[in-house]
């Protein structure tokens, strides 16, 4: 068993906030695997790489450097340095979410990032958050969770976040993007979004964030 907590689930269930808080409470390192897929998406997009050309994708990935640095507070996203440049803001747009989802279906991208994540995880004491951390990246993790919530609920939560950032929101369009992204993440052939058989499922649409975190820490402490 590895001293690793995995937290998987679809977008917009509050995974990032919850994962950061659980990591802070345990004094574990938070590993945001989605940020790594976003960084790769940005790199491939900027280099104008044709995703249908395996060799071009692999060549582009040979030269990649991604470093994740803890945020100043547990309420902020991690800082992401791609090839020496801070891309933390750039990778968080709704458009980059779609690009990340698209590149994440590519076998060479998954292989590269899975390996990088396993290297980070081999030191233990991490909370890994993503779509396949409990199923593919860390199947031997000691504690696994799957967070879920109704798409409408997730859309409202995301709309609120975007409005707080001063952005205009088309709720119907946002809902369609969430449904489309779920569909893409669940139906890709490799490492699709799915619940590990030994994961504890929590509905974050029913419980508040504090209650979800408390429940998870409770599960972890009771299964040492
Ligand atoms: O969690 P996020 O929204 O930042 O993730 C961005 C995209 O990356 C998401 O659409 C699916 C993909 N992803 C993945 O395929 N596997 C992971 N472990 C994490 C993210």
């Amino acid at each position: 068993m590895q001293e690793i907590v995995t937290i998987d689930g679809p977008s917009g269930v509050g995974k990032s906030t919850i994962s950061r808080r659980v990591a802070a409470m345990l004094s574990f390192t938070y590993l945001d695997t989605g940020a790594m897929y976003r960084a790769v998406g940005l790199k491939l997009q900027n280099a104008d790489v044709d995703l249908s050309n395996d060799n071009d994708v692999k060549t582009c990935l040979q030269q990649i450097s991604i470093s994740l640095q803890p945020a100043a507070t547990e309420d902020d996203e991690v800082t992401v340095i791609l090839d020496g440049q801070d891309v933390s803001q750039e990778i968080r747009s709704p458009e980059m979410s779609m690009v990340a989802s698209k590149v994440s279906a590519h076998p060479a991208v998954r292989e590269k990032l899975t390996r990088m994540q396993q290297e980070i995880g081999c030191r233990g004491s991490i909370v890994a958050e993503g779509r396949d951390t409990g199923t593919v990246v860390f199947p031997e993790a000691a504690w696994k969770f799957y967070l879920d919530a109704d798409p409408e609920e997730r859309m409202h939560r995301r709309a609120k976040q975007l409005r707080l950032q001063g952005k205009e929101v088309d709720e119907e369009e946002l809902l369609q993007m969430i449904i489309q992204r779920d569909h893409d993440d669940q139906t890709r052939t490799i490492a699709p979004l799915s619940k590990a058989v030994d994961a504890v499922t929590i509905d974050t649409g029913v419980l508040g964030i504090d209650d979800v975190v408390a429940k998870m820490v409770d599960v972890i402490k009771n299964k040492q």
Side-chain angles (χ1 to χ4, degrees), residues 40 61-64 107-117:
V40 166
L61 293 182
Q62 271 167 10
Q63 306 295 334
I64 198 167
V109 172
R110 295 216 77 86
E111 198 183 304
K112 172 91 182 180
L113 288 188
T114 298
R115 210 171 336 108
M116 283 172 87
Q117 291 155 15

Side-chain angles (χ1 to χ4, degrees), residues 7-12 15-16 32-38 77 91-92 96-105 110 113-114 117 129-133 137 181-182 184-185 188 190-193:
I7 305 179
D8 293 307
S11 55
K15 279 197 313 286
S16 301
D32 181 353
T33 63
M36 298 172 85
Y37 283 94
R38 287 170 184 267
E77 306 274 10
I91 60 167
R92 298 288 173 195
M96 279 312 300
S97 301
M98 300 307 278
V99 173
S101 179
K102 204 161 151 213
V103 302
S104 70
R110 295 216 77 86
L113 288 188
T114 298
Q117 291 155 15
E129 180 224 321
R131 304 292 189 286
D132 63 341
T133 63
V137 189
R181 199 140 73 100
D182 281 1
D184 293 348
D185 290 346
R188 66 173 175 238
I190 51 165
L193 165 65

Side-chain angles (χ1 to χ4, degrees), residues 23 33 41 48 56 59 61 68 81 95 119 133 139 154-155 173 176 189 199 204-205:
T33 63
D48 214 10
D56 284 1
T59 306
L61 293 182
L68 303 181
I81 309 292
E95 291 71 29
E119 276 164 18
T133 63
R154 289 149 55 199
M155 181 275 287
E173 190 187 13
Q176 288 316 315
T189 41
T204 64

Side-chain angles (χ1 to χ4, degrees), residues 17-150:
T17 308
I18 291 165
S19 304
R20 286 195 299 261
R21 294 214 189 151
V22 170
M25 286 182 87
L26 300 172
S27 297
F28 278 17
T29 302
Y30 164 54
L31 174 60
D32 181 353
T33 63
M36 298 172 85
Y37 283 94
R38 287 170 184 267
V40 166
L42 183 63
K43 168 124 182 164
L44 292 170
Q45 179 172 269
N46 286 348
D48 214 10
V49 172
D50 174 5
L51 290 182
S52 64
N53 187 325
D54 270 9
N55 280 339
D56 284 1
V57 173
K58 282 182 188 156
T59 306
C60 184
L61 293 182
Q62 271 167 10
Q63 306 295 334
I64 198 167
S65 129
I66 303 172
S67 142
L68 303 181
Q69 298 172 358
T73 79
E74 69 188 50
D75 290 325
D76 296 314
E77 306 274 10
V78 288
T79 297
V80 181
I81 309 292
L82 170 66
D83 298 332
Q85 296 239 325
D86 185 344
V87 294
S88 316
Q89 297 293 323
E90 214 175 335
I91 60 167
R92 298 288 173 195
S93 66
E95 291 71 29
M96 279 312 300
S97 301
M98 300 307 278
V99 173
S101 179
K102 204 161 151 213
V103 302
S104 70
H106 200 289
V109 172
R110 295 216 77 86
E111 198 183 304
K112 172 91 182 180
L113 288 188
T114 298
R115 210 171 336 108
M116 283 172 87
Q117 291 155 15
Q118 287 170 338
E119 276 164 18
I120 297 169
C122 71
R123 299 189 285 271
S125 300
I126 67 158
V127 172
E129 180 224 321
R131 304 292 189 286
D132 63 341
T133 63
T135 48
V136 176
V137 189
F138 302 115
E140 301 299 322
W143 307 281
K144 298 183 186 179
F145 296 91
Y146 189 84
L147 305 184
D148 212 348
D150 181 68

